[in-house]
Amino acid sequence: MQQANYLQQLLVTLRTRLLVMCASVGIALEEAGKALVSNDPGRAAAVIESDVAIDALENEIDEMALRLLARSQPVASDLRFVVTSLRMVVDLERIGDEAVSMAEQATLMQEMPGFSVIPHVRELYVSAREAFENAVRVFRENDAQGALIMSRGDDEAVQTEVRIIQGLMEGLSDPQNTLKPHQAMHIILVTRSLTRIWRRSVNIAEHVYFISRGESLKHKGESRDVMFSAPATPPAAGGFTPAAGAGSTPVNGGFTTAAASGETVKPHEADVNEKNPSRRNRVEKGTDSAEKVAAEKGTDNA
């Protein structure tokens, strides 16, 4: 009991430090946006300096999680949480890095009075901020359903980025447009940072789903909707799917052709034939019958 209480205290501490890191990254992201709006080099410098504290939090959480794994050996959902925390800090640290990149662009643009990136990327900026705030919320509330909904926004981030870049290309090709190539470069760099922030926020939401449900949403794409809504198809008796034909023999690299019906049988069914004596006997009888019929037809033709 004492060991269990000690483990829970460590998990609570780890969770608290993750939330502190989320708050620090959120502040950096907000300040970077304000620096871009006003081309404020002082605010941008503060964002760049704050990255040191975010990096220190990443190292602290890494050490805490590894020490917890080594000493307490958590299992089930506790283990998923500890392992996922090691992944989450990477996404949080990278979001902090992108906030620094945005602040650096604000510093570079201080010599461009009257020009601001935000009007060109406002839609993406608002969506990226909302994605991060929602990711923090689903983590804080352990909201698996909200995390699943968020995981569908990855493609939307890329589509928004493409729309912005297409608009820039059209503007640069228009002789009446006042946008300069070096200004477009700053817009593209900020756009890339915002897209990465949005997609990293989606990663955090997917981590939350894994902690709560034990199911990974990584690399699922559109199939995630089917995966979580459609009931699983139970296997047939014996753990395999029977062949469509009565008899089959392996040909051409493991694929099998039914002797009587000509239907194709999958390779794993051929393996089952080898491991199941009774089934193998039926296969051999079916093959012998087919060969006998073929021989009789050959005799008739002759």
Side-chain angles (χ1 to χ4, degrees):
M1 178 63 70
Q2 186 175 3
Q3 177 68 18
N5 291 336
Y6 177 67
L7 173 60
Q8 291 305 313
Q9 290 176 0
L10 293 177
L11 291 172
V12 169
T13 303
L14 179 60
R15 181 181 179 83
T16 301
R17 299 309 290 167
L18 277 169
L19 288 171
V20 169
M21 189 173 182
C22 288
S24 300
V25 172
I27 292 172
L29 182 55
E30 181 180 0
E31 292 298 302
K34 292 178 179 178
L36 282 172
V37 170
S38 58
N39 285 357
D40 185 348
R43 196 184 293 270
V47 173
I48 295 171
E49 292 175 1
S50 70
D51 192 53
V52 176
I54 293 174
D55 291 343
L57 278 169
E58 180 190 18
N59 292 333
E60 177 189 347
I61 292 171
D62 277 344
E63 293 175 3
M64 189 181 300
L66 292 172
R67 188 166 56 248
L68 199 155
L69 284 172
R71 295 181 179 179
S72 301
Q73 298 179 350
V75 296
S77 61
D78 293 341
L79 177 60
R80 293 199 300 271
F81 172 72
V82 177
V83 172
T84 301
S85 68
L86 293 169
R87 298 176 178 175
M88 279 186 61
V89 291
V90 174
D91 289 315
L92 288 169
E93 192 273 335
R94 295 293 171 81
I95 292 174
D97 286 346
E98 297 303 336
V100 169
S101 297
M102 291 165 57
E104 290 172 346
Q105 293 305 311
T107 301
L108 293 172
M109 288 186 296
Q110 62 181 309
E111 299 177 358
M112 303 178 191
F115 173 72
S116 176
V117 166
I118 292 298
H120 298 273
V121 299
R122 189 178 304 279
E123 177 189 1
L124 183 56
Y125 175 72
V126 171
S127 297
R129 280 288 309 277
E130 289 180 352
F132 178 75
E133 292 170 358
N134 287 334
V136 175
R137 179 190 59 78
V138 298
F139 172 62
R140 186 174 58 248
E141 300 174 2
N142 196 27
D143 181 6
Q145 187 60 34
L148 180 60
I149 293 172
M150 268 200 70
S151 69
R152 299 166 183 158
D154 197 40
D155 292 338
E156 186 180 353
V158 177
Q159 291 169 4
T160 305
E161 177 188 10
V162 169
R163 285 199 301 271
I164 292 173
I165 294 178
Q166 285 178 341
L168 289 175
M169 297 301 102
E170 293 172 1
L172 289 173
S173 61
D174 184 358
Q176 297 181 351
N177 197 307
T178 59
L179 184 67
K180 307 299 183 192
H182 65 279
Q183 294 173 336
M185 178 193 69
H186 290 298
I187 295 171
I188 290 172
L189 291 174
V190 172
T191 298
R192 290 296 298 148
S193 291
L194 290 171
T195 302
R196 293 188 185 111
I197 289 169
W198 191 344
R199 300 185 75 177
R200 291 281 179 181
S201 300
V202 171
N203 287 351
I204 293 173
E206 291 177 347
H207 297 328
V208 173
Y209 192 92
F210 175 72
I211 294 171
S212 178
R213 300 290 175 84
E215 294 278 356
S216 176
L217 296 179
K218 292 170 60 178
H219 313 302
K220 299 298 184 189
E222 296 179 356
S223 64
R224 60 168 61 94
D225 296 335
V226 178
M227 184 178 70
F228 295 112
S229 61
T233 303
F240 60 90
T241 304
S248 58
T249 54
V251 296
N252 295 334
F255 283 91
T256 60
T257 304
S261 62
E263 296 179 355
T264 300
V265 183
K266 298 178 180 179
H268 73 275
E269 296 175 68
D271 296 337
V272 170
N273 292 342
E274 294 299 321
K275 297 175 182 178
N276 190 328
S278 60
R279 183 182 176 90
R280 186 171 62 246
N281 291 337
R282 292 196 302 270
V283 170
E284 292 172 351
K285 290 180 180 178
T287 305
D288 293 340
S289 299
E291 292 175 350
K292 184 176 180 181
V293 170
E296 291 175 352
K297 288 183 178 179
T299 303
D300 295 338
N301 293 335

PDB file of all heavy atoms in Angstrom, residues 282-295:
ATOM      1  N   ARG A 282      -7.968 -33.575 -46.509  1.00  0.00           N
ATOM      2  CA  ARG A 282      -9.059 -33.182 -47.405  1.00  0.00           C
ATOM      3  C   ARG A 282      -8.501 -32.510 -48.652  1.00  0.00           C
ATOM      4  O   ARG A 282      -9.006 -32.672 -49.753  1.00  0.00           O
ATOM      5  CB  ARG A 282     -10.017 -32.245 -46.670  1.00  0.00           C
ATOM      6  CG  ARG A 282     -10.799 -32.925 -45.560  1.00  0.00           C
ATOM      7  CD  ARG A 282     -12.003 -32.087 -45.135  1.00  0.00           C
ATOM      8  NE  ARG A 282     -11.607 -30.770 -44.680  1.00  0.00           N
ATOM      9  CZ  ARG A 282     -11.314 -30.483 -43.419  1.00  0.00           C
ATOM     10  NH1 ARG A 282     -11.364 -31.463 -42.495  1.00  0.00           N
ATOM     11  NH2 ARG A 282     -10.989 -29.259 -43.059  1.00  0.00           N
ATOM     12  N   VAL A 283      -7.469 -31.700 -48.446  1.00  0.00           N
ATOM     13  CA  VAL A 283      -6.854 -31.014 -49.586  1.00  0.00           C
ATOM     14  C   VAL A 283      -6.279 -32.027 -50.570  1.00  0.00           C
ATOM     15  O   VAL A 283      -6.449 -31.925 -51.782  1.00  0.00           O
ATOM     16  CB  VAL A 283      -5.755 -30.049 -49.085  1.00  0.00           C
ATOM     17  CG1 VAL A 283      -4.940 -29.529 -50.259  1.00  0.00           C
ATOM     18  CG2 VAL A 283      -6.389 -28.901 -48.323  1.00  0.00           C
ATOM     19  N   GLU A 284      -5.557 -33.037 -50.023  1.00  0.00           N
ATOM     20  CA  GLU A 284      -4.939 -34.024 -50.891  1.00  0.00           C
ATOM     21  C   GLU A 284      -5.976 -34.828 -51.651  1.00  0.00           C
ATOM     22  O   GLU A 284      -5.813 -35.138 -52.837  1.00  0.00           O
ATOM     23  CB  GLU A 284      -4.052 -34.948 -50.048  1.00  0.00           C
ATOM     24  CG  GLU A 284      -2.826 -34.218 -49.473  1.00  0.00           C
ATOM     25  CD  GLU A 284      -2.061 -35.081 -48.500  1.00  0.00           C
ATOM     26  OE1 GLU A 284      -2.583 -36.180 -48.154  1.00  0.00           O
ATOM     27  OE2 GLU A 284      -0.960 -34.685 -48.073  1.00  0.00           O
ATOM     28  N   LYS A 285      -7.101 -35.161 -50.955  1.00  0.00           N
ATOM     29  CA  LYS A 285      -8.168 -35.906 -51.644  1.00  0.00           C
ATOM     30  C   LYS A 285      -8.757 -35.060 -52.763  1.00  0.00           C
ATOM     31  O   LYS A 285      -9.036 -35.547 -53.856  1.00  0.00           O
ATOM     32  CB  LYS A 285      -9.253 -36.303 -50.643  1.00  0.00           C
ATOM     33  CG  LYS A 285      -8.798 -37.384 -49.661  1.00  0.00           C
ATOM     34  CD  LYS A 285      -9.920 -37.735 -48.690  1.00  0.00           C
ATOM     35  CE  LYS A 285      -9.478 -38.824 -47.708  1.00  0.00           C
ATOM     36  NZ  LYS A 285     -10.545 -39.142 -46.739  1.00  0.00           N
ATOM     37  N   GLY A 286      -8.967 -33.764 -52.466  1.00  0.00           N
ATOM     38  CA  GLY A 286      -9.518 -32.890 -53.498  1.00  0.00           C
ATOM     39  C   GLY A 286      -8.587 -32.771 -54.681  1.00  0.00           C
ATOM     40  O   GLY A 286      -9.008 -32.750 -55.840  1.00  0.00           O
ATOM     41  N   THR A 287      -7.293 -32.710 -54.404  1.00  0.00           N
ATOM     42  CA  THR A 287      -6.311 -32.604 -55.485  1.00  0.00           C
ATOM     43  C   THR A 287      -6.282 -33.872 -56.326  1.00  0.00           C
ATOM     44  O   THR A 287      -6.224 -33.831 -57.560  1.00  0.00           O
ATOM     45  CB  THR A 287      -4.921 -32.335 -54.896  1.00  0.00           C
ATOM     46  OG1 THR A 287      -4.981 -31.175 -54.076  1.00  0.00           O
ATOM     47  CG2 THR A 287      -3.900 -32.124 -55.990  1.00  0.00           C
ATOM     48  N   ASP A 288      -6.313 -35.038 -55.640  1.00  0.00           N
ATOM     49  CA  ASP A 288      -6.314 -36.308 -56.375  1.00  0.00           C
ATOM     50  C   ASP A 288      -7.532 -36.415 -57.276  1.00  0.00           C
ATOM     51  O   ASP A 288      -7.455 -36.879 -58.419  1.00  0.00           O
ATOM     52  CB  ASP A 288      -6.287 -37.480 -55.390  1.00  0.00           C
ATOM     53  CG  ASP A 288      -4.962 -37.541 -54.639  1.00  0.00           C
ATOM     54  OD1 ASP A 288      -3.967 -36.953 -55.138  1.00  0.00           O
ATOM     55  OD2 ASP A 288      -4.934 -38.170 -53.562  1.00  0.00           O
ATOM     56  N   SER A 289      -8.709 -35.990 -56.765  1.00  0.00           N
ATOM     57  CA  SER A 289      -9.933 -36.059 -57.568  1.00  0.00           C
ATOM     58  C   SER A 289      -9.808 -35.176 -58.801  1.00  0.00           C
ATOM     59  O   SER A 289     -10.193 -35.555 -59.900  1.00  0.00           O
ATOM     60  CB  SER A 289     -11.138 -35.626 -56.722  1.00  0.00           C
ATOM     61  OG  SER A 289     -11.278 -36.497 -55.607  1.00  0.00           O
ATOM     62  N   ALA A 290      -9.258 -33.975 -58.597  1.00  0.00           N
ATOM     63  CA  ALA A 290      -9.113 -33.060 -59.724  1.00  0.00           C
ATOM     64  C   ALA A 290      -8.177 -33.620 -60.777  1.00  0.00           C
ATOM     65  O   ALA A 290      -8.420 -33.522 -61.979  1.00  0.00           O
ATOM     66  CB  ALA A 290      -8.597 -31.696 -59.226  1.00  0.00           C
ATOM     67  N   GLU A 291      -7.070 -34.229 -60.315  1.00  0.00           N
ATOM     68  CA  GLU A 291      -6.116 -34.808 -61.254  1.00  0.00           C
ATOM     69  C   GLU A 291      -6.740 -35.984 -62.013  1.00  0.00           C
ATOM     70  O   GLU A 291      -6.483 -36.189 -63.208  1.00  0.00           O
ATOM     71  CB  GLU A 291      -4.868 -35.260 -60.510  1.00  0.00           C
ATOM     72  CG  GLU A 291      -4.054 -34.103 -59.941  1.00  0.00           C
ATOM     73  CD  GLU A 291      -2.881 -34.587 -59.101  1.00  0.00           C
ATOM     74  OE1 GLU A 291      -2.849 -35.806 -58.821  1.00  0.00           O
ATOM     75  OE2 GLU A 291      -2.029 -33.755 -58.726  1.00  0.00           O
ATOM     76  N   LYS A 292      -7.581 -36.778 -61.312  1.00  0.00           N
ATOM     77  CA  LYS A 292      -8.227 -37.916 -61.959  1.00  0.00           C
ATOM     78  C   LYS A 292      -9.175 -37.449 -63.051  1.00  0.00           C
ATOM     79  O   LYS A 292      -9.216 -38.008 -64.152  1.00  0.00           O
ATOM     80  CB  LYS A 292      -8.978 -38.735 -60.903  1.00  0.00           C
ATOM     81  CG  LYS A 292      -9.612 -39.998 -61.457  1.00  0.00           C
ATOM     82  CD  LYS A 292     -10.265 -40.811 -60.345  1.00  0.00           C
ATOM     83  CE  LYS A 292     -10.904 -42.095 -60.883  1.00  0.00           C
ATOM     84  NZ  LYS A 292     -11.552 -42.882 -59.803  1.00  0.00           N
ATOM     85  N   VAL A 293      -9.953 -36.376 -62.764  1.00  0.00           N
ATOM     86  CA  VAL A 293     -10.888 -35.849 -63.755  1.00  0.00           C
ATOM     87  C   VAL A 293     -10.128 -35.329 -64.960  1.00  0.00           C
ATOM     88  O   VAL A 293     -10.504 -35.545 -66.115  1.00  0.00           O
ATOM     89  CB  VAL A 293     -11.741 -34.724 -63.128  1.00  0.00           C
ATOM     90  CG1 VAL A 293     -12.539 -33.999 -64.203  1.00  0.00           C
ATOM     91  CG2 VAL A 293     -12.667 -35.298 -62.073  1.00  0.00           C
ATOM     92  N   ALA A 294      -9.014 -34.622 -64.695  1.00  0.00           N
ATOM     93  CA  ALA A 294      -8.226 -34.083 -65.803  1.00  0.00           C
ATOM     94  C   ALA A 294      -7.661 -35.199 -66.673  1.00  0.00           C
ATOM     95  O   ALA A 294      -7.610 -35.104 -67.902  1.00  0.00           O
ATOM     96  CB  ALA A 294      -7.090 -33.213 -65.250  1.00  0.00           C
ATOM     97  N   ALA A 295      -7.218 -36.290 -66.042  1.00  0.00           N
ATOM     98  CA  ALA A 295      -6.659 -37.411 -66.805  1.00  0.00           C
ATOM     99  C   ALA A 295      -7.721 -38.063 -67.683  1.00  0.00           C
ATOM    100  O   ALA A 295      -7.464 -38.445 -68.830  1.00  0.00           O
ATOM    101  CB  ALA A 295      -6.059 -38.428 -65.834  1.00  0.00           C
TER     102      ALA A 295
END
